[in-house]
Amino acid sequence: MAVLSFREALNQAMTEEMERDDRVFLMGEEVAQYDGAYKVSQGMLKHFGARRVIDTPISEEGFAGIGIGAAMVGLRPIIEFMTFSFSLVAIDQIVNNAANMRYMSGGQFSVPIVFRGSSGMAGSLAATHSHRLEAWYAQIPGLMVLMPATPADAKGLLKAAIRCDDPVVFIEHEVLYPDRGEVPEGEHLVPIGKAEIKRPGNDVTLITYSRSLKVTMAAAEKLAEEGVDAEVIDLRSIRPLDMDTLINSIVKTHRAVIVEEDWPYCGLGAGISDRITRTIFDELDAPILRVASKDAPIPYNKAMEQSMLPSVQRVVEAVNGVVYREV
Amino acid sequence: MAQTQTEAKPIVNRTQAQVWLRQMLLIRRFEERAEMLYQKGNKIGGFFHQYSGQEPVAVGSIGVLREDDYVITAYRDHGHALARGMSARAGMAELLGKVTGCSRGKGGSMHFFDAEKGFLGGHAIVGSHIALAAGVAFAMKYRGEDRVCICYFGDGAINQGSVHEAMNMAALWKLPVIYVVENNMYAMGTSLERSSAVVDLRLRGATAYGIPGFTINGNDIELMAKTTREAAARARAGEGPTFIEAQTYRYKGHSISDPGKYRHRDELDNAVKNDPIVVYENILKQRGWIDDAAIEKMRQDVKAEVEEAIEFAEQSEQPPLSDLYEDITVAPFIPQE
């Protein structure tokens, strides 16, 4: 199997899907002549030409809407946001138009579109360029929200997203782009709505996704050295959520910690925790704890920024809490 | 507003003119009866924005499009939907929230859709659909088709940011879209003078983006048709968008709950005196294309059609509550509850 970077895996997914289906095109700021702000679309203009790899003005709301309109009449756009922080400019289009269209038309018009791009804290970008908005989008019926953590999943999930007949919000963590890993060649699809157990264990279930998987895996290794056997689940699909995998795991471990990079209040973990509690309260031997970012805008200062994030230390502390372990 | 074009020289034949007159009568009657159902029967809910007074804009412009062209509009959408050929039945059933409605009871007055007729909806966030129109046009160009998308919006929408983004890209990429701003002088209760730094709306497209712009009397149905036909020809030839400011006037308030106190009584009286439907009736009579008896028969036919639509809507089933989760996604929908 080829070893690719996360960004190369995304590039391969788009390239394969565009080769397969002429209805698929890529549109966004600097995706073509500049080869992508984060080089995810490197070489695609040369390969596909300006008809299908399209540079836009800095007009997020406008080109998001253009993508939705094109999808309503049969194309399958991939809309790149340079960062998901900028998707806030386009959120009217994503929520009011893409998510609602099928419902409000009584099923007559669907919107097969992918909104993708980078997100997350990546090194002193300060508040406007570091947002994690998965909880915002995950709340909206009509949207799929996907967040891969590995190069293989990046490829498989993006291919599935492009083939999905519904609008997909596909959020890539900026610090994952250079990560390398084995990526299956050709027809590799990861189904939407399926979580994956990345590390089996018996003592506690760690639920996470995207960049936080790395932190969580590192915490699990540290815990193993200390005699705590953690099971790590990578959600991959934020909506729909794979509740079956979560429940099966917690029925085994009876304890859970959710590790998320978004804000704590009304964050993704709050919704997941609520669902688990209502579904299998009797199976829980401890309250579900959450390790999220701190409840503040993202600071520029490096040390302050790092203190915001879920860390190995904070994950270990939370696990100690749910297994009632005194250190 | 003078009826110059229509009076000067017919640009349509007799049959077409009669079809247009009938469509205008149907839209007017449809809304008159719907208003009664809203006010008296409490059968229609939500916001209800009437098109009365503006009928020539939709009928004249949609009337010169091809069947494979697309139409998209804002929340004042009954007129455009009926002009595009949506059945009064499907429209009335939607107003009553029935499963037989054009959006299966999930859209309501502001969200009429009809895929078969290329009617891409009723959209209720002011200005938000204007980018969608450019996207539809983008798809036409991408596939190398010579179809066009016509997009209607009100003068209030012109001040939304997305409108400028979309018009810039439509002009930049020469997309086959026809933007029609229906300038009825008021954005809800705010007059154009109080909301627009530049009230010559044509200049917005022309000056900023080089989009050919026309300010016309939108109540002159044949002028509306002629201008649209030229815009469509330009779009099909790959010459890009056109911006039409159709000056018109709405008889009713912004919505049914708006008594319209912000405008002077004389203003409305003047408009009603020059009712565009009556004006067109008179013109067609002058041309010898129709007589009073034929007009009266047409009015009776339209009344019967609307009554039949109401009967159909009232007899139709409510959508089953289990339909709440239908039509959210193409993929099987899993409620995250």
Side-chain angles (χ1 to χ4, degrees), chain A residues 75-116:
Chain A
L75 298 188
R76 303 181 80 89
I78 306 168
I79 300 295
E80 178 174 311
F81 293 121
M82 197 180 291
T83 100
F84 255 90
S85 296
F86 306 162
S87 78
L88 293 181
V89 178
I91 203 164
D92 166 54
Q93 290 294 339
I94 300 169
V95 174
N96 278 315
N97 288 341
N100 285 346
M101 195 68 71
R102 186 170 170 80
Y103 202 64
M104 294 210 307
S105 68
Q108 292 181 81
F109 291 96
S110 53
V111 182
I113 191 169
V114 178
F115 301 104
R116 54 154 289 272

Side-chain angles (χ1 to χ4, degrees), chain A residues 22 25 51-52 54 59 61-62 65-66 70 73 92-93 97 102-106 108-109 166 241 275, chain B residues 102-104 111 113 115 120 128 132 135 138 142-143 162 165 169 173 324 326-327 329-331 333 336-337:
Chain A
D22 184 65
F25 67 92
R51 172 174 169 263
R52 300 183 67 197
I54 302 148
S59 305
E61 187 180 2
I66 284 175
V73 294
D92 166 54
Q93 290 294 339
N97 288 341
R102 186 170 170 80
Y103 202 64
M104 294 210 307
S105 68
Q108 292 181 81
F109 291 96
D166 297 303
L241 188 69
R275 291 187 67 191
Chain B
C102 60
S103 304
R104 296 181 62 80
H111 309 108
F113 285 85
L120 297 161
S128 183
L132 301 183
F138 175 91
Y142 184 90
R143 289 194 285 241
S162 64
E165 296 186 12
M169 283 181 273
W173 297 334
L324 190 72
E326 294 296 319
D327 303 325
T329 49
V330 179
F333 183 72
Q336 305 293 313
E337 291 175 351

Side-chain angles (χ1 to χ4, degrees), chain B residues 241-264:
Chain B
T242 299
F243 185 92
I244 300 170
E245 178 195 351
Q247 294 183 335
T248 184
Y249 196 81
R250 65 165 146 82
Y251 287 174
K252 302 289 179 173
H254 165 70
S255 75
I256 211 161
S257 60
D258 167 21
K261 286 181 179 163
Y262 42 84
R263 54 187 193 184
H264 201 273

Side-chain angles (χ1 to χ4, degrees), chain B residues 128-148:
Chain B
S128 183
H129 68 293
I130 294 168
L132 301 183
V136 173
F138 175 91
M140 308 297 106
K141 189 175 166 115
Y142 184 90
R143 289 194 285 241
E145 299 165 348
D146 71 340
R147 301 154 86 178
V148 305

Side-chain angles (χ1 to χ4, degrees), chain A residues 48-311:
Chain A
F48 292 106
R51 172 174 169 263
R52 300 183 67 197
V53 182
I54 302 148
D55 279 327
T56 65
I58 301 174
S59 305
E60 284 85 0
E61 187 180 2
F63 67 72
I66 284 175
I68 296 165
M72 285 176 76
V73 294
L75 298 188
R76 303 181 80 89
I78 306 168
I79 300 295
E80 178 174 311
F81 293 121
M82 197 180 291
T83 100
F84 255 90
S85 296
F86 306 162
S87 78
L88 293 181
V89 178
I91 203 164
D92 166 54
Q93 290 294 339
I94 300 169
V95 174
N96 278 315
N97 288 341
N100 285 346
M101 195 68 71
R102 186 170 170 80
Y103 202 64
M104 294 210 307
S105 68
Q108 292 181 81
F109 291 96
S110 53
V111 182
I113 191 169
V114 178
F115 301 104
R116 54 154 289 272
S118 72
S119 87
M121 284 174 244
S124 292
L125 297 176
T128 54
H129 284 57
S130 305
H131 286 315
R132 289 286 300 264
L133 301 168
E134 57 268 27
W136 289 40
Y137 290 117
Q139 206 194 13
I140 310 298
L143 297 180
M144 310 279 175
V145 184
L146 308 179
M147 295 187 75
T150 66
D153 284 350
K155 177 179 175 182
L157 272 179
L158 185 52
K159 283 171 75 81
I162 293 166
R163 294 186 200 184
C164 179
D165 292 325
D166 297 303
V168 178
V169 174
F170 191 95
I171 305 177
E172 303 149 12
H173 201 297
E174 193 177 323
V175 304
L176 296 179
Y177 283 139
D179 279 13
R180 300 183 74 78
E182 290 195 335
V183 177
E185 274 153 50
E187 188 74 354
H188 166 58
L189 294 167
V190 171
I192 294 170
K194 293 284 176 221
E196 188 178 53
I197 297 170
K198 297 283 187 189
R199 184 190 189 285
N202 290 305
D203 297 337
V204 59
T205 300
L206 305 183
I207 301 161
T208 191
Y209 57 94
S210 188
R211 175 190 177 275
S212 298
L213 176 67
K214 293 206 305 193
V215 175
T216 308
M217 289 297 275
E221 293 311 314
K222 187 164 191 295
L223 287 161
E225 289 164 16
E226 297 169 8
V228 179
D229 185 22
E231 178 147 301
V232 178
I233 296 175
D234 176 11
L235 292 175
R236 305 193 292 194
S237 175
I238 306 303
R239 182 188 183 107
L241 188 69
D242 184 357
M243 276 299 286
D244 290 345
T245 296
L246 299 187
I247 286 170
N248 289 339
S249 175
I250 295 166
V251 163
K252 181 174 67 173
T253 65
H254 307 291
R255 300 155 201 279
V257 171
I258 301 167
V259 187
E260 53 190 321
E261 200 181 297
D262 62 344
W263 287 291
Y265 188 60
C266 301
L268 195 64
I272 295 171
S273 172
D274 162 69
R275 291 187 67 191
I276 294 168
T277 306
R278 284 186 290 113
T279 311
I280 49 165
F281 179 75
D282 290 347
E283 294 286 347
L284 290 169
D285 286 346
I288 298 167
L289 293 186
R290 294 167 57 207
V291 180
S293 287
K294 301 285 177 63
D295 192 22
I298 320 304
Y300 167 72
N301 176 275
K302 192 88 190 155
M304 286 173 79
E305 183 193 56
Q306 286 305 307
S307 76
M308 296 280 298
L309 288 162
S311 61

Side-chain angles (χ1 to χ4, degrees), chain B residues 26-319:
Chain B
L26 177 67
I27 295 167
R28 181 70 59 87
R29 185 64 187 170
F30 179 91
E31 292 198 321
E32 283 170 355
R33 287 293 281 122
E35 182 176 2
M36 287 184 223
L37 294 174
Y38 191 105
Q39 301 284 24
K40 291 181 184 150
N42 200 24
K43 288 179 177 168
I44 297 173
F47 290 125
F48 183 88
H49 310 88
Q50 292 194 65
Y51 197 61
S52 290
Q54 303 182 205
E55 292 92 343
V57 181
V59 172
S61 51
I62 291 172
V64 294
L65 296 182
R66 295 195 320 225
E67 276 185 18
D68 65 347
D69 291 330
Y70 284 105
V71 177
I72 190 166
T73 187
Y75 51 85
R76 198 177 301 285
D77 58 355
H78 312 146
H80 307 99
L82 293 170
R84 190 54 176 171
M86 178 184 285
S87 74
R89 280 179 155 205
M92 197 59 83
E94 187 61 29
L95 293 179
L96 268 62
K98 298 299 181 70
V99 73
T100 50
C102 60
S103 304
R104 296 181 62 80
K106 285 171 175 162
S109 166
M110 299 187 288
H111 309 108
F112 277 21
F113 285 85
D114 191 339
E116 266 183 32
K117 303 283 184 189
F119 185 69
L120 297 161
H123 297 269
I125 302 292
V126 173
S128 183
H129 68 293
I130 294 168
L132 301 183
V136 173
F138 175 91
M140 308 297 106
K141 189 175 166 115
Y142 184 90
R143 289 194 285 241
E145 299 165 348
D146 71 340
R147 301 154 86 178
V148 305
C149 180
I150 192 165
C151 173
Y152 301 90
F153 49 100
D155 45 290
I158 199 79
N159 295 314
Q160 278 279 34
S162 64
V163 175
H164 298 274
E165 296 186 12
M167 286 190 349
N168 177 53
M169 283 181 273
L172 183 68
W173 297 334
K174 295 202 181 315
L175 302 180
V177 60
I178 304 169
Y179 287 119
V180 178
V181 55
E182 299 193 49
N183 182 0
N184 61 22
M185 317 304 282
Y186 294 94
M188 200 167 159
T190 303
S191 67
L192 189 63
E193 288 73 19
R194 292 203 297 129
S195 59
S196 283
V198 173
V199 295
D200 184 350
L201 300 182
R202 180 182 53 86
L203 297 178
R204 298 292 189 97
T207 311
Y209 312 113
I211 298 176
F214 302 89
T215 299
I216 63 168
N217 175 2
N219 280 6
D220 180 339
I221 186 169
E222 293 188 11
L223 178 58
M224 195 67 220
K226 178 172 176 281
T227 311
T228 307
R229 198 161 60 190
E230 288 162 3
R234 200 159 36 243
R236 295 190 211 288
E239 292 166 26
T242 299
F243 185 92
I244 300 170
E245 178 195 351
Q247 294 183 335
T248 184
Y249 196 81
R250 65 165 146 82
Y251 287 174
K252 302 289 179 173
H254 165 70
S255 75
I256 211 161
S257 60
D258 167 21
K261 286 181 179 163
Y262 42 84
R263 54 187 193 184
H264 201 273
R265 179 80 219 170
D266 293 349
E267 200 178 291
L268 178 60
D269 288 347
N270 257 338
V272 175
K273 240 181 274 169
N274 291 302
D275 182 80
I277 299 181
V278 175
V279 166
Y280 201 47
E281 284 175 353
N282 287 333
I283 287 166
L284 297 191
K285 280 197 281 187
Q286 283 162 20
R287 287 181 191 165
W289 285 4
I290 202 162
D291 58 23
D292 284 333
I295 290 171
E296 182 52 28
K297 180 169 185 316
M298 202 180 268
R299 286 180 178 272
Q300 292 307 322
D301 285 352
V302 162
K303 274 188 184 177
E305 184 176 340
V306 172
E307 292 312 308
E308 198 277 332
I310 293 170
E311 176 72 12
F312 168 80
E314 290 192 329
Q315 298 297 323
S316 289
E317 299 289 329
Q318 297 282 353

